[in-house]
Amino acid sequence: MQVKLSKKATKHIQKLGLRKQFEKQLALFLSNPFHPSLDFKPLKGGVKGLYAFRINDQYRARLIKIDEHTYFILVVVTSIDSLHPGDNAG
């Protein structure tokens, strides 16, 4: 499996000081996307078609599936924004 990051996601990770946590969770995602600590799931509502996995208790990565083996991380959002996607532009 392959995961690519948008420039926006990369900036969010750096700005929020999430690099170590993100790298750990990304490695876990690459080896087992359905590991319970990731809470990987498809999103619903206004962001249907996107997926999310947990970086830590506060932040989640939002991603889109490009093909069977490739995901693209669009942004990093707070867990609250991920639970209420209509309240967040993004």
Side-chain angles (χ1 to χ4, degrees):
M1 181 185 327
Q2 183 178 12
V3 175
K4 299 178 181 181
L5 275 83
S6 70
K7 288 181 183 180
K8 189 173 186 176
T10 301
K11 286 180 183 179
H12 285 164
I13 291 162
Q14 291 173 349
K15 181 179 177 181
L16 298 168
L18 297 173
R19 193 175 112 161
K20 278 187 174 184
Q21 291 173 317
F22 175 77
E23 287 176 359
K24 178 184 172 198
Q25 294 299 89
L26 179 59
L28 189 56
F29 180 76
L30 290 169
S31 66
N32 178 9
F34 299 102
H35 189 282
S37 73
L38 292 170
D39 192 28
F40 177 63
K41 58 188 165 193
L43 300 176
K44 301 175 185 174
V47 288
K48 187 176 180 179
L50 296 181
Y51 296 81
F53 72 79
R54 182 182 299 131
I55 296 171
N56 61 25
D57 288 340
Q58 191 175 0
Y59 293 100
R60 296 182 67 85
R62 279 196 191 163
L63 54 160
I64 190 166
K65 188 173 186 175
I66 303 295
D67 60 39
E68 196 61 34
H69 304 286
T70 309
Y71 286 89
F72 185 71
I73 298 177
L74 301 168
V75 293
V76 173
V77 296
T78 65
S79 293
I80 292 170
D81 289 338
S82 198
L83 291 174
H84 305 287
D87 299 342
N88 172 20

